[in-house]
Amino acid sequence: MSAPLAPLLHGWRSAALPALDSLWAVPAAGRAFAIAGLFSRLESTLLVVIPGESDAEELVDDLRLFTDRVHHAPAWETLPFEHVSPNTVTMATRAQARHRLSADQPVIVVASVRSVIQRVSPSSVDPVILAVGDEIEMEGLTRWLADSGYHRTDRVEARGEMAVRGGIVDVFPAQADRPVRLDFWGDRLDEARFFTVATQRSEEAATGLEAYPARELRPDVGVGARARELVRSEPWAAGTWERLVEGQIFPGMESWLPWLAPTRTLVEEMPFSAHLLLVDPARAFDRSRDLIKEESELAAALAPTWGETAPEAGEHPPLFLDLEDVVAGKSVLRLPSAPGGPGDALLEVRGLDAVPGDPAS
């Protein structure tokens, strides 16, 4: 469905942008319109960082009134060091947002501070994309799905599951709302249809399959090599590292991400032409400091249980990185709400170059 309020952006495209180092006054109710208008005018990818997760969800809903090129990069709902895996949908939706963020097609990606300051997994976020008529070995497809965290079962009932029966592969893409039934003739995808989980009956035709990884961290070659190094350098958790070396997928493996991933965030995954927007900088920086403090307190409480040779609290690699460091070195455009009080929201845009013909050029 097309964005119902997209026609309202036509005025943006005919108007010159304000100077990109200036202040814009925008009421909170007009935030989505301002961001969507900026996106339509610049025609380049925008990463929008907003303090809270609920704020991000609301902004995504509002932006979809103006453009259908919006993606949400949700934060994990788990705590640092908690040996519980994030929700499958969360991990797949993050993978989809990261993939679209780094692609050539301009999009808006909205992320909370919690999401954007978290280390990203080194595992690939590329999807498997098939169209009816494409040729692919069924064994290769099912192997990719299994390696990407999809659980093989007799009956697909939830996201992140797959089932194989003869020449038919049922897949419930972890980021999608409906499962897809793929009917193969040899190595050719002959037909694709959606189906209902409750009845397992095929319904209307689908164009094919688009499935993103159901696990954000996976024991692939890179993670396995890093785990092999950790067996020697961090023997206190050798049992965990050995499971990753062996290629095992297990609940809570994502809690070990700080030891397995470089200090890289969503911001580093932006293409050179993309721009960073920071909503309400004061609240955003406060939120970043709160998350870092929370992680530090959890480490202090849990470090004594890690073993005698484990790192002391504060010496572990952090999951969350300081937002000020993450966005440092960017040119800045601040977009405050219309003056009304100390609680007014701000929007700060970083990484923008002057547009030829505009006042800033």
Side-chain angles (χ1 to χ4, degrees), residues 176-216:
D177 294 325
R178 303 175 70 185
V180 180
R181 178 162 291 149
L182 308 174
D183 193 348
F184 285 86
W185 179 262
D187 291 335
R188 181 179 182 274
L189 179 56
D190 192 53
E191 184 181 50
R193 288 188 172 275
F194 295 109
F195 68 92
T196 303
V197 167
T199 64
Q200 295 290 300
R201 291 182 178 177
S202 299
E203 297 185 330
E204 71 268 25
T207 58
L209 172 71
E210 181 178 31
Y212 283 85
R215 286 276 186 180
E216 190 160 352

Side-chain angles (χ1 to χ4, degrees), residues 98 118-121 261-266 268-270 321:
R98 289 175 57 193
Q118 176 191 305
R119 292 177 190 244
V120 294
S121 169
T263 54
R264 180 179 175 86
T265 68
L266 287 174
E268 280 77 40
E269 298 195 319
M270 295 167 55
L321 309 176

Side-chain angles (χ1 to χ4, degrees), residues 1-5 28-29 31-33 35-36 39 46-75 93-94 96-97 107-113 115 266 279 347:
M1 185 180 74
S2 60
L5 300 184
R31 180 184 295 159
F33 175 67
I35 294 172
F39 173 66
L46 302 178
L47 173 58
V48 181
V49 183
I50 193 165
E53 191 64 25
S54 60
D55 297 330
E57 293 171 356
E58 291 173 3
L59 181 57
V60 168
D61 289 341
D62 291 345
L63 283 168
R64 284 177 176 157
L65 296 173
F66 299 98
T67 176
D68 56 4
R69 290 189 284 170
V70 180
H71 298 277
H72 180 207
T93 305
R94 278 179 60 83
Q96 182 181 37
V107 293
I108 302 175
V109 173
V110 180
S112 66
V113 168
S115 175
L266 287 174
V279 177
L347 187 144

